[in-house]
Amino acid sequence: MQGFISEIFSSFQGEGGSVRGSCQGRRQIFIRFAGCNLAQAGKPCVWCDSPQAQAGGCPSANIETSAGRGVFKDAENPLEVDALLKVVEELRSPDLHSLSLTGGEPLLQAGFIEAFCLETVDQIYLETNGTLPKAAKKIADHVDYACVDLKDETALPYSGWQRVLESELETARILTDAGAAVFAKIVITQGTNVETIAGVAEKLAELGVPLAIQPVTTTDSAVKIGREKLFKLSEAAAQYLSADDITLSFQSHKQIGIL
Ligand code: SF4
């Protein structure tokens, strides 16, 4: 079984805040899968921070040569499961918490992930756009932690947002039912509606899934949302979710200049 990988490196998980399921601050090996179904439709998310991983079938993967050093080499794609296991061993650090499967959209390569997970004993953290629930079902039993990225209306350059949201919630349900510690993350902008966050929180409360509210950042990592808006959105979520199940999330890895 082979998979197309964009990059692999060791770092700290920068997102997720303090809710159950979040691994913010944990040391992880990031396995960034190449290809994203939302981008392949020709309309990537407005705030995509991994444009290099949008295209599938890239000829080579960028692989860090030593944990946390930031020096990379190329490896030919696609990678065999054994080759990926070897890279994980080379990047293993004493404080390793979990392997972060991210993208792109990792669930586009669920068969490869399943084959890989059968061979590893490391904890698996899945970050997914949540729009491929059938693929989520295929690997759900192997997932320990999951971040399902809910798309706000202002993140998608097309209509049909409600349909996307329904599939994301279905994925959160599948992963939760399989026993993973799941949280939802939503990137918000100044244009995000209070009603949207309240509606999302209502659905998540039914599933028992907490919510991380993440303000969009510009390329220079500045947060472009007013204080008042942040408070309002968090309070809107609290109409349905307990305070334990609401957090702010920031891209803290960018603040300290790491990948
Ligand atoms: S789902 Fe993720 S990788 Fe795909 S376009 Fe959106 S932000 Fe980028």
Side-chain angles (χ1 to χ4, degrees):
M1 186 65 77
Q2 300 175 316
F4 283 86
I5 307 291
S6 170
E7 57 182 352
I8 308 175
F9 57 92
S10 163
S11 191
F12 295 105
Q13 176 57 247
E15 301 180 354
S18 56
V19 284
R20 184 180 67 257
S22 165
C23 287
Q24 179 156 11
R26 304 284 196 191
R27 188 78 182 264
Q28 294 184 322
I29 294 173
F30 291 77
I31 302 168
R32 190 180 301 290
F33 285 79
C36 171
N37 55 319
L38 295 186
Q40 278 162 15
K43 292 174 178 170
C45 305
V46 177
W47 306 111
C48 181
D49 64 355
S50 308
Q52 77 280 18
Q54 287 177 4
C58 58
S60 64
N62 214 15
I63 296 180
E64 195 175 35
T65 54
S66 180
R69 295 288 166 84
V71 178
F72 287 80
K73 65 179 180 190
D74 281 347
E76 201 179 321
N77 266 326
L79 258 65
E80 298 282 348
V81 166
D82 281 352
L84 181 54
L85 289 164
K86 189 162 174 278
V87 173
V88 167
E89 283 320 306
E90 286 167 359
L91 294 181
R92 186 177 297 283
S93 57
D95 55 350
L96 179 68
H97 176 267
S98 45
L99 308 181
S100 174
L101 310 185
T102 184
E105 176 43 55
L107 290 179
L108 275 179
Q109 300 185 66
F112 177 72
I113 290 175
E114 186 184 29
F116 172 73
C117 288
L118 287 169
E119 300 296 328
T120 183
V121 293
D122 288 313
Q123 297 196 100
I124 298 295
Y125 175 95
L126 173 70
E127 176 158 14
T128 173
N129 66 29
T131 57
L132 300 168
K134 278 189 191 148
K137 197 160 199 167
K138 197 173 169 73
I139 65 155
D141 286 343
H142 300 288
V143 177
D144 299 288
Y145 303 89
C147 170
V148 178
D149 290 324
L150 305 183
K151 301 301 177 192
D152 178 44
E153 242 171 322
T154 59
L156 293 180
Y158 47 85
S159 57
W161 163 73
Q162 282 292 350
R163 258 200 329 276
V164 171
L165 182 64
E166 276 164 27
S167 60
E168 292 163 340
L169 292 167
E170 174 64 2
T171 295
R173 187 192 62 72
I174 288 166
L175 293 167
T176 301
D177 286 353
V182 180
F183 73 102
K185 184 185 82 189
I186 188 162
V187 175
I188 47 127
T189 70
Q190 191 64 30
T192 298
N193 287 321
V194 168
E195 296 75 28
T196 299
I197 298 300
V200 159
E202 184 177 14
K203 299 264 170 46
L204 292 175
E206 288 164 14
L207 299 175
V209 170
L211 176 64
I213 298 171
Q214 183 166 303
V216 70
T217 48
T218 56
T219 43
D220 59 358
S221 299
V223 172
K224 290 285 183 199
I225 296 179
R227 262 187 334 171
E228 212 176 305
K229 183 93 190 189
L230 281 181
F231 287 124
K232 267 194 189 151
L233 294 177
S234 180
E235 287 164 17
Q239 288 174 41
Y240 299 98
L241 289 166
S242 76
D244 276 342
D245 285 345
I246 303 168
T247 185
L248 275 190
S249 166
F250 294 98
Q251 293 188 304
S252 56
H253 52 297
K254 292 187 178 170
Q255 310 287 330
I256 57 172
I258 57 173
L259 286 169

